Amino acid sequence: MSSWLPILVLAGLTVIFGLAAVYLRRRSGISDGRIVATDNSFFRPLEAPLVDSELDLVGKPDYLMADRNGCLVPVEYKNTLAPPRPYAGHVLQLAAYLRLVQVQEDKRPAYGLIRYRDKTFRVDYSSELEDSLMDCVIHIRAAEKRAELPERSHQEAARCRACGYQELCEQRIRQII
């Protein structure tokens, strides 16, 4: 009997950890697919960024998931608590990733996911969302051609530090030491 005890303990632990993994995956909101690439080196890194030469877009979603049909689904992870509905900027960022996946796969993805720490939002890749993305790209390209930069739309020093226009911007928030 004593020789069976370690085997029974290991079998019990396997069942417990298996159930915990299923629970955590369902709780994450992204349980419908398998992760095929990430934008970090921890798990199957995305080898190269996705590119759309027509719109001059380049990017790497945080995760690329394959759904049950094998279609790629971009997942954007935000390390904050979820707002009542996803922020417009996060939705447009996901829309850009949806477009990049469409160009790479030559197949329009049905949706993408925005994962906050406590909730996941499914965002359908509708024609209205695609139109919003196109309008945004046109607006950004026009602003890049003008001599002046657009007005800063926030009061967050961290956003300024991460901005690609930081060196050119006269409105940037300077961090006080």
Side-chain angles (χ1 to χ4, degrees):
M1 178 67 177
S2 64
S3 64
W4 286 97
L5 186 59
I7 294 171
L8 290 174
V9 169
L10 286 174
L13 287 173
T14 301
V15 169
I16 290 169
F17 287 127
L19 291 172
V22 168
Y23 168 78
L24 290 172
R25 186 162 176 99
R26 285 190 178 146
R27 190 171 153 224
S28 75
I30 57 172
S31 61
D32 286 344
R34 64 182 171 78
I35 297 172
V36 295
T38 67
D39 188 24
N40 62 48
S41 59
F42 179 71
F43 180 79
R44 298 181 191 163
L46 187 59
E47 298 289 324
L50 305 175
V51 178
D52 177 354
S53 54
E54 180 185 337
L55 293 183
D56 198 21
L57 288 178
V58 177
K60 286 183 169 185
D62 292 324
Y63 297 94
L64 274 178
M65 214 175 61
D67 69 10
R68 291 179 181 160
N69 300 320
C71 298
L72 291 182
V73 176
V75 180
E76 182 57 25
Y77 180 76
K78 301 298 182 186
N79 194 20
T80 61
L81 295 176
R85 62 177 194 242
Y87 295 116
H90 295 171
V91 173
L92 279 173
Q93 181 181 12
L94 182 63
Y97 293 140
L98 286 161
R99 167 69 186 206
L100 289 168
V101 167
Q102 178 180 352
V103 168
Q104 175 179 307
E105 298 295 303
D106 200 27
K107 182 177 182 184
R108 184 183 180 87
Y111 68 97
L113 301 171
I114 301 175
R115 172 71 186 147
Y116 293 92
R117 283 193 323 208
D118 58 335
K119 187 174 183 181
T120 300
F121 293 95
R122 177 185 164 129
V123 178
D124 291 332
Y125 192 31
S126 65
S127 57
E128 293 83 12
L129 180 57
E130 186 176 25
D131 291 345
S132 293
L133 173 64
M134 296 303 174
D135 290 345
C136 185
V137 168
I138 290 167
H139 183 76
I140 289 170
R141 299 295 179 242
E144 288 174 335
K145 290 179 182 176
R146 292 194 303 264
E148 76 279 352
L149 294 171
E151 293 292 317
R152 177 172 40 88
S153 63
H154 61 86
Q155 296 298 322
E156 301 169 39
R159 287 183 68 190
C160 279
R161 281 193 303 274
C163 180
Y165 295 100
Q166 184 185 65
E167 296 304 317
L168 303 171
C169 184
E170 295 175 3
Q171 303 170 32
R172 69 183 178 272
I173 300 171
R174 301 185 196 288
Q175 185 173 5
I176 300 173
I177 299 173

